[in-house]
Amino acid sequence: MVQLASGTQFGAHWVRVLALVLGLWTLVGTTQAAALKIGLAAEVTTVDPHFFNTGPNNAFLHHVFDSLVDVDADGRLISGLAESWVAVDATTWEFRLRKGVKFHDGSELSAEDVLFSLARPAQLTNSPGSYTSYTKPIVASQAVDRYTVRLRTATPYGPLPLDLSSIFIVSKKAVEKAGPEQFNAGPAAIGTGPFRLVAFHKGERIELARHEAYWGARPEWDTVHFRVLASDAPRLSALLAGDVDLIEAVPTADLARLKTNPRVSVTTHTT
């Protein structure tokens, strides 16, 4: 169950990520603004989407990168960078990519970027939390054309589209010789997501700006600023003082009080 307390409207992308990944959030009442400030309860340890598979990392990375397949707030598979997919035979899946999708650097998404992204997790041998459990069933991959990818599994494997919702797609050109350090510094953090990376200060703050050429619905915020506020009391105080607009991991003991606050409205979504 996810509870959201809000005094303004969220963009659909934010609601989806919060509902599926982050859990409990509260948004204090603000007017529609160009900037959104968020207080995080846990640190985002890397901007490399294939290096460390943790909930806080994945929740954040959804705003910078996209996957082939996505999951909506009700847990249903929906199209992501792949507009459609089909089982060609018992061990072969075919994914058709959206045309005209732009990376943050202006280059266009292609099948080669997808194949590179699916192979990369297995190449990061020093990963403290690998994503290879999602790609391990794939024994062969092929770019049929610029916008079509075929993936073969050793045996029939129905959950492959769901697994691929956990693998973010990166730019082969930007990432081919890059490691986590280049992602955190910015040059390699080139995704197709609704926001692009402006600055990453590990353990402190992260800054994002809207990706103007985003293929999906236009994000409602020009910029998004994340602050790491690991302790409950300072995080809640920052919210109520207006220093941040949104916090995660709202202390359960404070929910009743927040529900009576005229500046806060609470909604619940069950998944």
Side-chain angles (χ1 to χ4, degrees):
M1 178 176 292
V2 174
Q3 298 186 44
L4 302 174
S6 174
T8 186
Q9 292 295 314
F10 257 151
H13 181 82
W14 286 101
V15 176
R16 173 180 61 79
V17 173
L18 297 175
L20 292 179
V21 183
L22 295 184
L24 190 60
W25 291 72
T26 295
L27 179 64
V28 93
T30 63
T31 59
Q32 184 70 17
L36 181 65
K37 297 171 291 184
I38 299 176
L40 296 177
E43 178 185 351
V44 175
T45 62
T46 180
V47 186
D48 187 330
H50 303 141
F51 186 65
F52 194 5
N53 183 10
T54 70
N57 287 349
N58 294 334
F60 167 77
L61 292 167
H62 265 285
H63 304 301
V64 179
F65 302 94
D66 292 309
S67 50
L68 288 177
V69 180
D70 215 334
V71 182
D72 70 12
D74 295 313
R76 297 171 298 197
L77 293 182
I78 58 175
S79 58
L81 294 178
E83 61 182 6
S84 65
W85 55 93
V86 63
V88 177
D89 56 42
T91 59
T92 306
W93 285 90
E94 182 174 278
F95 295 81
R96 294 187 179 275
L97 306 182
R98 297 179 185 274
K99 296 181 180 179
V101 173
K102 299 293 185 181
F103 282 104
H104 298 154
D105 63 0
S107 60
E108 186 183 5
L109 170 75
S110 74
E112 290 300 322
D113 298 303
V114 173
L115 297 186
F116 173 80
S117 300
L118 297 180
R120 186 170 181 265
Q123 298 168 0
L124 298 177
T125 56
N126 60 338
S127 168
S130 179
Y131 288 82
T132 54
S133 60
Y134 305 116
T135 58
K136 190 178 300 183
I138 301 170
V139 296
S141 59
Q142 174 191 6
V144 178
D145 56 42
R146 182 175 178 82
Y147 302 108
T148 309
V149 171
R150 282 192 176 182
L151 306 176
R152 186 165 61 84
T153 56
T155 59
Y157 188 69
L160 187 64
L162 177 61
D163 284 359
L164 296 186
S165 69
S166 296
I167 298 296
F168 295 108
I169 304 303
V170 299
S171 164
K172 179 180 179 181
K173 178 182 177 181
V175 176
E176 196 160 21
K177 297 180 181 180
E181 298 80 8
Q182 287 72 38
F183 276 91
N184 295 346
I190 306 298
T192 59
F195 294 94
R196 57 181 176 81
L197 183 70
V198 174
F200 176 73
H201 301 277
K202 190 174 183 295
E204 298 178 6
R205 59 187 175 85
I206 313 170
E207 299 175 20
L208 303 180
R210 180 167 53 210
H211 175 28
E212 298 295 347
Y214 181 53
W215 60 269
R218 185 176 188 269
E220 298 181 25
W221 312 98
D222 293 334
T223 60
V224 183
H225 303 268
F226 296 84
R227 287 176 55 193
V228 177
L229 298 166
S231 299
D232 287 348
R235 190 167 62 256
L236 184 58
S237 295
L239 176 73
L240 297 177
D243 295 333
V244 296
D245 304 307
L246 178 72
I247 65 171
E248 68 168 325
V250 180
T252 304
D254 293 295
L255 275 177
R257 176 165 63 93
L258 289 173
K259 289 179 180 180
T260 64
N261 188 322
R263 299 174 62 216
V264 177
S265 61
V266 178
T267 60
T268 300
H269 179 80
T270 302
T271 58

